[in-house]
Amino acid sequence: MPTHTPRPPAHAPAWRLQRWLDYGEITNFNAQPYPMTAEDHAQFRFPYWFNYFWTELKNHRIGDWLPLYRRVFEPDGTVRQAFADSSSTDKKGFLEELLAAGFEEFPARFRKNPAALLAGSSLTNENDEVLGIAFRGDSRPADLIQAHGGSLAKADSRRVAMKMNAAWNPFSYPDLRENMYYRKGSDDNCLMTVVSVMMDALGATKFPLIEEMNAEDKKQALVWIDGQLRRMTATRCTVYALKLNGWGYVSSCVPWTHPLSFRLIGVSTKPGQAHRTIPN
């Protein structure tokens, strides 16, 4: 992210030039600029959603995100009273701008047609039907996965609880909520509209990441790695299969009848980096 002072717009009126210069010290991107309490986060209130959308602008040029920042925040970082008092419709319009800038509908380069999915991984059910399958790692135990019917995108399963139906939330529009999105800044799938899967069971053991687990679920384990006994963080992961149907990722989330339970050892957050698993 650039650290130079942004250049003011040419031929700007004096008042606008002064406002631009007032923000001259803001040269580094803040991924979570909207003040948010623990309760705001837990209840998925407006600050949570503002920061969720805003974070994906982190790879944008300062000239792209600073004008948006100035519409919401004072130079000292406090929220402009005019924005705080604005209508739900105006807030929704602003979040739509962030959605359009930081997200994209699931990129065509990531899509696979059903034939390609079947070629990569398949399973024959009791009716001798060949189903395309993918795998997902989960912190839930196998019986709870079965009870929940597998995994559903949060936009489907937790829409009300996560305030996706709030008047200020862009996902209150069904045509937006029903799309699948990719987060440009995080280089990852949208946490709300996509169920991320792997085409092989071993790859699925990388998720959930150890640092995302609750503290009580983390254990220390002694394991042999490259001829040495090492103490590493470990947690448990249940890997289960999901039925694939149609374009994109998972459209029918039915868990495999025999999930595999793994103990994860030292899982890395870096894509492609080696990780080790021990079946239980």
Side-chain angles (χ1 to χ4, degrees), residues 80-266:
R80 287 184 175 278
Q81 195 61 47
F83 183 84
D85 294 340
S86 63
S87 68
S88 294
T89 300
D90 290 339
K91 288 185 172 73
K92 178 189 286 186
F94 188 87
L95 294 186
E96 282 186 71
E97 290 186 57
L98 299 185
L99 175 63
F103 294 68
E104 62 178 313
E105 289 188 38
F106 214 69
R109 67 184 183 277
F110 290 161
R111 295 175 182 260
K112 291 186 176 181
N113 61 35
L117 292 172
L118 284 171
S121 183
S122 63
L123 180 72
T124 302
N125 66 8
E126 62 275 9
N127 298 321
D128 292 328
E129 297 173 315
V130 179
L131 307 174
I133 60 170
F135 297 89
R136 181 171 173 85
D138 204 298
S139 59
R140 295 173 293 174
D143 56 347
L144 194 56
I145 292 171
Q146 295 284 4
H148 290 169
S151 290
L152 295 171
K154 294 174 184 176
D156 296 324
S157 60
R158 302 189 63 198
R159 177 172 60 88
V160 175
M162 297 187 71
K163 294 185 172 55
M164 292 186 198
N165 60 338
W168 43 258
N169 196 320
F171 287 145
S172 62
Y173 291 128
D175 57 335
L176 294 181
R177 186 177 65 250
E178 292 169 5
N179 286 335
M180 294 190 298
Y181 293 95
Y182 182 78
R183 293 180 290 155
K184 296 178 183 178
S186 299
D187 195 25
D188 199 358
N189 297 328
C190 172
L191 300 176
M192 310 302 169
T193 60
V194 177
V195 175
S196 299
V197 297
M198 298 290 292
M199 297 308 294
D200 64 275
L202 184 60
T205 62
K206 191 171 182 178
F207 300 97
L209 300 173
I210 283 181
E211 59 267 29
E212 295 177 348
M213 302 293 292
N214 296 325
E216 60 268 21
D217 294 329
K218 297 178 182 179
K219 308 295 182 183
Q220 290 292 309
L222 289 173
V223 295
W224 282 99
I225 299 179
D226 298 328
Q228 297 183 17
L229 188 62
R230 301 183 185 179
R231 181 176 295 276
M232 301 185 71
T233 302
T235 188
R236 190 175 304 281
C237 172
T238 301
V239 176
Y240 59 104
L242 301 101
K243 184 171 63 176
L244 297 170
N245 180 23
W247 291 84
Y249 272 171
V250 179
S251 59
S252 180
C253 301
V254 181
W256 197 12
T257 55
H258 300 289
L260 306 175
S261 183
F262 284 85
R263 179 184 298 171
L264 301 185
I265 304 296

Side-chain angles (χ1 to χ4, degrees), residues 67-85:
L68 292 168
Y69 183 91
R70 288 165 50 232
R71 287 165 55 187
V72 178
F73 302 100
E74 300 286 358
D76 63 0
T78 57
V79 178
R80 287 184 175 278
Q81 195 61 47
F83 183 84
D85 294 340

